[in-house]
Amino acid sequence: MLHALLLFGATQAIGEPSWKPSRQLHVIVPFSPGAAADTTIRIVSEQLAAALNQAVVVENRGGAAGVIGTRAGAASPPDGYTLIGGSDPPFTIIPHLQEVPYDPLKAFSHVALVADVPLFLVVRKDLAVNDVRELMALADKKPGVLTIGSSGNGSSGHLAAELFKMKAHVNMLHVPYKGQVAAVSDVLAGRVDATFSSLGPVRQHVEAGNLKMLAVSTSKRFIGLPDVPTVDESGVPGFDIAVWVGFSAPAGTPEKAIERINGEINQILESPQINNKLTAMGYVPVMGTASDMARRIEKDYKRFGQLIRDAKISTDQ
């Protein structure tokens, strides 16, 4: 009888979650409403609330390229009830450009990657190029004349532009803007020749024939646009850059809480409905362990830091 009771207890324990939240969770998004990270985090947070049977409140604390909200997250109690719905800049880019009020590699316990956001290389419709090789050839003929815009100095688009210039061995003039929409607007108006952008700001303009899409920044083609080649296969070997979106937490957050939330997020991303929604937005769903996310951030931190040093990128360029 005792053996049977012990067996029943073990079976019951195996079937139960190791961590059950007893109150609502708070997700700090360090970007403004509508940003790529914000939209993605809200989609997943809604599903996470249902999975945990607790409210999940998303709060935007934008400013300073994500540093303000990320600092608030790092300073929160490490009890599993506060998450940071973050992205690359405040973790892997901005710390190389200015002093930040947290240690980007030690102040956080990472929870789960959600998606990669590929960037698409687009050019103005009347530029006499139809693929990356033709763009490289034209840039060779006109060194320093062709322009490439971005959403700002130190942005992911800026890093993509500098990586392209270095690996393609071309001289193009970087033009920073205050946001990707402004950069795309000037490409549409013909005042700038090219830009690397997430899909949202450019898709309708490409479909209408007002922009030409030459390639995607990731090492693999984007499943939502399989006919668009990668920059790598278009004559720039080794070119690969994307922005990640995911959930982190303050350092010291209990492992059981991280494991539970990570497992629920992975199940959410396996849902065809969520997977298709993210793909339609131009994102690539990413599933994996908390350790996978930590390794990704360490890798991006090192390689983006090296790129920033090699390209001599600064916030006042």
Side-chain angles (χ1 to χ4, degrees), residues 106-155:
K106 296 180 180 180
F108 307 95
S109 294
H110 299 295
V111 179
L113 287 169
V114 171
D116 274 340
V117 183
L119 303 175
F120 294 85
L121 176 58
V122 298
V123 299
R124 56 185 173 88
K125 66 178 181 180
D126 56 347
L127 191 67
V129 303
N130 291 299
D131 56 40
V132 172
R133 287 183 174 83
E134 290 181 356
L135 178 62
M136 292 163 60
L138 184 60
D140 279 338
K141 292 179 182 178
K142 299 180 178 181
V145 175
L146 294 187
T147 51
I148 184 163
S150 79
S151 59
N153 290 324
S155 65

Side-chain angles (χ1 to χ4, degrees), residues 60 84 150 196 262 302:
N60 294 93
I84 304 110
S150 79
F196 277 95
N262 174 276
K302 291 177 181 178

Side-chain angles (χ1 to χ4, degrees), residues 167-180:
K167 287 193 171 291
H169 307 290
V170 295
N171 181 4
M172 299 176 71
L173 177 64
H174 171 242
V175 183
Y177 288 86
K178 292 183 178 180
Q180 191 59 53

